Amino acid sequence: MKRRTFIYCCVLLCAALSGYGQDDAMVKSIQQRFGLYTERAVQEKMYVHLDRPLYLIGETIWFKAYNLNAASHQFLDLSKVAYLEVLDADNNPLIQTKFLLADGKGNGSLLIPSSIGSGKYKVRCYTNWMKNFSPEYYFESSISIVNPFVRFDPDRLAKEPEKYDVQFFPEGGYLVKNIESKVAFRAIGKDGNGIAFSGAIIDNQNDTIQKFQPEKNGIGYFTLKPESGKEYKAVIKDSKGQPYTFALPKTEEQGYVMQLKDSTSNLLKITVTGEVVSDEPVAVYLMSHTRQLNAQADRKYLKNKKAVFVLDKSKLGEGISHITILNEKLKPLCERLYFKRPTKQLAIEATIKNAFVTREKATMDVSAAVSNASDLANMSVAIYLSDSIQSQPETDISTYLWLSSDLKGNVEAPEYYFANANPDTDRQLDNLMLTHGWRRFKWENVFVSQATPFEYLPEYDGHFITGKLINKTNGEPAKGIDTYLAPLDVQARLYVAQSDQKGNVMYEVRKFIGPKEITLQTNLNQDTVYRFEIASPFSKQFAVRPVPPFTFSKTWENQLLTRSINMQTGNAFTPAIPTQQPASLTDSIAFFGMPDEKYFLDDFTRFPTMEEVLREYVRGVIVRKKQKEFHFRMIDKLLPNTFYSTDPLVLLDGIPIFDTNKFMELDPLKVKKIETLSSRYFLGPMTFTGIASFVTYAGDLAGYELDSKVTVLPYEGVQAEREFYAPRYDNGNANSRIPDFRNLLHWSPNVTTDASGKAKIDFYTSDQTGNYQVVIQGITPSGISGSKTVSFSVGKSSL
């Protein structure tokens, strides 16, 4: 009875202490301020499915982008534009493109130019909003590109001297004297992959303190209790017995050490040990969160230099959680990551025959098991030839979302940690948390008294073109100046902005598709001393993630020759597919909407001068000439017999014209249409007293020479969606003599299952025999992801 009473009292005491921590004012403040930061610092997470891991120059990269809420992995309809780049080992961009996103999904293509040499390259993808955060959070994947027309060294790495990089990561961040710490380590070779070795920890008296060796991919851990005044180093011997020496982190005289243990199946025990000098009780705070969700906070006091926190695993989210120890000034003392295995995965199944012949129709049944009939899976499917030219396959969507995307640096063989869940892989996964840990934000930004505005806005409604307005006379930024951007387009599209205190201008351009010429100008009747500098929208920050080495076996030469011939044949015989929608289909009216009056000049008697045309039959526009200068005056449609006292906005093929005298010299026979808007028009920070829009037959200014102070430059808009072409042999044309050497048989960026969780895919095989790989990546609106890989063979037809 006494024992039961004692246990009951202990439980009450623990509950009281727990409640005390939760009721602490600082704890509440930490939670509230973290919640406010989470609300404003929404995180996007991008995954890109590439159609193949290896390409030849002249081939096309097809891709599908999944833009997700980083916290929930659900589709995030925040950004409408994404940026994709192909970078070399020095982060030089070789190919760049912008593409549209809708409801968190987007797709596109890139043609690989012949100027690229053979090698490994990085493909990275991000949004404008993601540029506010670390580039380590951009999507990155590696691809191989082969240029068979330029000689290259098939194995440059083998000629380089052996080089190792060994790093040590004390649990929580620091080594502190007289406190035992768990120290994780990671050792990689010149190829960026983990190495096997044997090692020993040696102090400054050459005594061996500890021996260690890696467990998986060059990663492992050992324990060390550093002593005051001693320095430590690690001596490792590689597989050849060659020794190498590396220094351990410096031992701190004062500080904190944290230790995490799975105390039970439901609880985590975090022990904080401090070596500090203080006459007052020392409080430490614990803050945990899973991708900025499931936030928990608590406070403890050091007792005998230790404080113990207990976390309920059920309150942690799935995937990677951050656990941080803070002091009373909210400065981080220790931090580490913890991984909780996800319980749900999208089970994708694909059923297809094992063997086909050339030019045969293939049908594949795809199913995705979901618990909710309305939770329809959205998938992308690639079917390509898995020839003898080997290349590392892309990380699947689940592994990337749950693991790679939330860790710093390159994670070697991430799929391994999910293939077999057992105590060994759990331990190796925890070692990975210690060696690849990082934080997406700075705590000072969370606890700052006044939030700093983000530099980059989400492109919620269109692409942002940004730049700076400079005063040419003194080189200083020009502030408070009205500016105009207009592309030479079929329908008038005008974007305006006023320069800020630093001379920055930003235009939000909607439906800006394909390459265009844009014009930039100020009001040339008022300002003539300014020039524009347009900024690149692509990120200039790069992750510290090396490109894997490129190796090419000489045994692949025949396969490379065949693929090269097939690529050239395919490019010669594949019919041209329009890559851009006709402008007339994108929008049929100008930016100012329906005009009040519209005049097609061919319907009227033609006059030789523009002045006669306007005076004779264009109602609402009054032509005045004062001091030898022409002026237009618009009659207000809402107040008859009342006209404005200032000139309206005059447009020629959508370009603002400020020199009315020069415009009046334009041959009216070159003008097809005149539209007028006879009321005040508000556009951004500007107000116009009416609009008079003149459109030429070809929409190319009809020879009208713009003022020399107008900046004209080419600008690439978002790419138009391009259709993947594959021939069909269902009309008796299987015997066509047109060669078909496709190695990418099928690409479907948007496959959605029906209410029963099923979808069907039809395609035709090509003349290229061999083994083919089917790769399916998918995710549901609720954030459950999965992938599937199957294969089949194609042999020669007997016909």
Side-chain angles (χ1 to χ4, degrees), residues 84-96 122-126 130-131 133-140 408-409 438 536 538-547:
L84 187 136
E85 300 177 277
V86 178
L87 309 176
D88 65 12
D90 297 320
N91 291 321
N92 297 309
L94 304 179
I95 317 175
Q96 295 178 315
K122 287 193 289 189
V123 175
R124 73 169 184 169
C125 190
Y126 51 90
M130 291 170 69
K131 291 192 291 185
F133 310 99
S134 170
E136 297 283 350
Y137 199 45
Y138 300 169
F139 170 83
E140 280 195 11
K408 187 176 182 179
W438 73 299
S536 168
F538 294 95
S539 176
K540 298 177 180 61
Q541 304 298 320
F542 301 95
V544 184
R545 191 176 289 122
V547 177

Side-chain angles (χ1 to χ4, degrees), residues 177-233:
K177 71 171 185 179
N178 300 325
I179 302 178
E180 186 175 74
S181 294
K182 181 178 182 180
V183 182
F185 58 86
R186 183 185 183 220
I188 58 174
K190 59 185 178 181
D191 60 356
N193 292 328
I195 60 170
F197 67 89
S198 60
I201 303 300
I202 299 175
D203 64 14
N204 48 5
Q205 297 177 353
N206 285 328
D207 292 332
T208 299
I209 306 301
Q210 180 75 268
K211 292 185 177 181
F212 64 100
Q213 62 183 21
E215 187 173 2
K216 181 69 179 179
N217 298 329
I219 298 174
Y221 79 92
F222 56 85
T223 57
L224 177 67
K225 187 176 182 179
E227 298 179 16
S228 179
K230 286 193 175 183
E231 296 179 354
Y232 300 89
K233 62 183 178 181

